Amino acid sequence: MRRAIELSINNIDKGGGPFGAAIFQGDTLIAESANSVTIDNDPTAHAEVNAIRLAAKKLNRFDLSDCTLYTSCEPCPMCLGAIYWSGIKTVYFGNTKADAAHIHFDDQFIYDEIDKPLNQRAVKFVPLLQSEAIKAFEKWEHTENRTEY
C-alpha cells in the first residue's frame, strides 16, 4: 500500500493525477503504475487499469485471480470493471471515493447513470444494426476452440 501511495504522490510532480496502484502475486511485485490520463492523453489510463495491463502482459495471461491490488484510492467505476474482469479477488485502498470527490474526482454521476434507462442517460445510446451485429455472437457461440473469459 505504501508503494501505491508513493506512486500517487510522485505522479503529481510528473503532471499526472494523484493516483497509484501496485499488483502483487503473493509477496512479489508484478506491476505498478500511476495515473497517466493527462500525460498520455488517454482517459482510460487510470493507475489501476495501467497496472492491470502491465501485470497481464508480464504474466502473459488475462486471469489475475492469484494477484492482489493495492491502490491509493477506492477504484472508480471503470477501474472497478477492469478489476472484476481481471479476476483480482482482493483490493486494498487508501482514500475513499468521498475523499476523491472532495478534490473534484467525483464519479457519482457515473454510478447514477448506470441505473438509468438508456433513453435517460446523459450520453445518447442508440441501438443500430443489431441483426448484423448478432452474427459475431452466433459465431462465438458455435466456436468450439474459443477461449472463455
Side-chain angles (χ1 to χ4, degrees), residues 1 4 20-24 26 48 68-72 90-93:
M1 178 54 87
I23 296 178
F24 283 79
E48 299 91 337
T68 302
L69 172 66
Y70 295 83
T71 179
S72 63
T90 304
V91 176
Y92 294 96
F93 65 93

Side-chain angles (χ1 to χ4, degrees), residues 12-149:
I12 297 166
D13 294 332
K14 296 176 183 176
F19 304 96
I23 296 178
F24 283 79
Q25 186 180 46
D27 293 334
T28 304
L29 176 64
I30 299 300
E32 64 181 24
S33 189
N35 176 293
S36 62
V37 169
T38 56
I39 296 167
D40 296 335
N41 290 314
D42 179 351
T44 69
H46 290 200
E48 299 91 337
V49 171
N50 287 345
I52 287 169
R53 288 174 178 156
L54 291 170
K57 187 169 188 158
K58 182 172 183 177
L59 295 173
N60 197 33
R61 56 187 164 90
F62 56 81
D63 179 3
L64 303 179
S65 58
D66 60 342
C67 295
T68 302
L69 172 66
Y70 295 83
T71 179
S72 63
C73 185
E74 184 176 359
C76 76
M78 177 184 68
C79 294
L80 186 62
I83 290 162
Y84 276 93
W85 282 116
S86 74
I88 291 172
K89 302 283 188 238
T90 304
V91 176
Y92 294 96
F93 65 93
N95 295 309
T96 67
K97 61 184 180 181
D99 296 328
H102 181 74
I103 61 164
H104 307 290
F105 288 96
D106 191 353
D107 299 319
Q108 188 58 48
F109 75 98
I110 298 173
Y111 290 108
D112 295 342
E113 286 284 298
I114 290 169
D115 289 333
K116 291 180 182 178
L118 292 177
N119 64 352
Q120 293 179 15
R121 292 183 179 172
V123 173
K124 186 175 184 178
F125 283 84
V126 182
L128 185 64
L129 300 176
Q130 191 273 339
S131 62
E132 293 179 34
I134 197 70
K135 292 175 184 171
F137 285 6
E138 291 168 348
K139 182 175 180 175
W140 174 263
E141 186 177 33
H142 295 99
T143 300
E144 291 183 21
N145 62 343
R146 66 182 181 244
T147 302
E148 298 282 348
Y149 59 97

Side-chain angles (χ1 to χ4, degrees), residues 2-13:
R2 286 189 179 96
R3 182 61 184 146
I5 294 168
E6 180 182 15
L7 288 164
S8 71
I9 293 168
N10 293 341
N11 199 47
I12 297 166
D13 294 332

